[in-house]
Amino acid sequence: MSAWLSRERVTRLLTAFAGEFKEVAEISTGNIAVAVGLKQTVTGDTLLASVSALSTAKKHAEKELKSVDESAAEVPKNTTLLPVLAGLEVPEPMFFCTVEPSSAAYQKGSMSLVFVL
């Protein structure tokens, strides 16, 4: 479940090791994984395991809000106070590759293609 209250189903969970992905059954706190199958979730969204986790996170967020501002009134029950982690800036993707001709005969053609790129 995302913090935006949309239910999502993860079809596969992967961890990355260099350029290789390995499927895993679970991921522990603080580790990074790839969740395959999410349709409405984007990078930076807060994900929760269940509705009970959402309730616990909401209670913690309300407690934190009150500790920051002691004059804050009780949050009404019908108010949706969602736990949302601070956003993140996603850098532009980078791609590096090496182009080598398969033989000396292709060297000249390969160099002209590189200059086109």
Side-chain angles (χ1 to χ4, degrees):
M1 167 171 280
S2 77
W4 305 112
L5 299 179
S6 62
R7 290 185 179 264
E8 295 273 27
R9 181 173 299 274
V10 176
T11 56
R12 292 173 49 203
L13 191 60
L14 309 169
T15 57
F17 297 101
E20 188 178 310
F21 291 94
K22 293 185 180 179
E23 191 164 350
V24 294
E26 61 184 28
I27 191 81
S28 59
T29 304
N31 289 325
I32 297 174
V34 177
V36 180
L38 304 177
K39 295 181 182 356
Q40 298 176 345
T41 303
V42 297
T43 301
D45 281 356
T46 302
L47 300 177
L48 302 160
S50 65
V51 174
S52 63
L54 175 63
S55 298
T56 304
K58 283 171 64 172
K59 287 177 188 173
H60 181 70
E62 289 172 0
K63 183 191 253 183
E64 288 295 315
L65 178 67
K66 288 178 187 175
S67 70
V68 170
D69 184 6
E70 292 186 14
S71 65
E74 186 73 26
V75 179
K77 289 196 183 278
N78 60 351
T79 301
T80 305
L81 182 61
L82 299 174
V84 178
L85 298 175
L88 56 102
E89 290 183 31
V90 180
E92 290 295 318
M94 298 175 64
F95 180 77
F96 297 98
C97 70
T98 303
V99 179
E100 294 182 19
S102 56
S103 69
Y106 291 110
Q107 180 73 36
K108 185 177 179 182
S110 297
M111 290 307 291
S112 64
L113 290 175
V114 170
F115 288 116
V116 172
L117 295 175

